[in-house]
Amino acid sequence: KLVCTYCGDDKFEQNIGSVLPQVYKVGDVCKFRVMRQDYTTGQLSLRDDLNGLNHFPVDLGKRRFKRFERINCRIQDVVDGRLQMEYVADTAAATPFFSFEELISLPVAAPLERHGVVSRLLGEAPFGEARMMRENRDVSWVRAALEVIDCNLPHWVGGRLRGRMVWFERLRAFVISLIEESPYLNRCDAGTSVDDNTPLRGQPSCRPPRHRG
């Protein structure tokens, strides 16, 4: 989720200069996700998933990073509405990964995967970012995939209310199983923790319309 300002004419943009001093303090070490890097200039585009903010351009020297890699940076200053940061090597133990095999071993997922449903679904174009995150062993790939499903499900299942409710209930059962019957949440660090606005609470944000009889 991203924090944006409405600019009129159906346009939104991030005007984050006024909120930076409220969110970041000099000396804090924060976690960011690398969205892209210009290997010619070294400039990075970083996303703060916890606060919903994008930062560009960011100069961390000549170090190269992988796309969607999560990195730690120390806040040095806020100048002209932009953060000045330095890279901080992560010396702590690596966050355990949550694999695809663990996902499909959940009781609610196993019957679907016997018919290849889960594998085929994750192979579709909208899940490109989630796949890239999984390849980079980013534990939050599951959350990214669920958010895609959460927002696209009404379109995918069509206009029949009963069919939509069945699939919403399946999604809800899957999320509950993920939370209660797997170690997924225990493997999420502070930068990928679950908040009240994600489908990991078991309440899809793109809800079906209320039936009017």
Side-chain angles (χ1 to χ4, degrees), residues 38-54:
D38 184 334
Y39 292 122
T40 302
T41 64
Q43 290 183 337
L44 295 147
S45 174
L46 301 181
R47 179 179 296 174
D48 179 351
D49 288 326
L50 191 62
N51 295 298
L53 300 174
N54 283 333

Side-chain angles (χ1 to χ4, degrees), residues 4 23 57 99 105-106 173 175 177 185 193 203 210:
C4 296
V23 177
S99 68
S105 69
L106 293 174
V175 172
S177 178
L185 292 187
S193 59
Q203 298 294 335
R210 182 178 298 176

Side-chain angles (χ1 to χ4, degrees), residues 55-69:
H55 301 279
F56 177 84
V58 177
D59 185 359
L60 297 179
K62 298 184 180 300
R63 184 182 296 271
R64 291 194 172 195
F65 302 95
K66 296 179 180 178
R67 191 181 183 196
F68 300 130
E69 181 179 350

Side-chain angles (χ1 to χ4, degrees), residues 14-29:
Q14 284 204 318
N15 182 13
I16 63 177
S18 61
V19 302
L20 290 182
Q22 303 174 42
V23 177
Y24 305 102
K25 303 300 180 185
V26 173
D28 286 352
V29 175

Side-chain angles (χ1 to χ4, degrees), residues 75-88:
I75 309 302
Q76 296 179 306
D77 203 352
V78 179
V79 179
D80 296 329
R82 292 180 179 176
L83 291 181
Q84 290 187 350
M85 300 181 280
E86 64 176 352
Y87 172 72
V88 178

Side-chain angles (χ1 to χ4, degrees), residues 98-111 113 118-119 174:
F98 191 81
S99 68
F100 178 74
E101 289 69 28
E102 289 178 287
L103 180 72
I104 62 175
S105 69
L106 293 174
V108 294
E113 184 53 22
V118 180
S119 297
F174 180 87

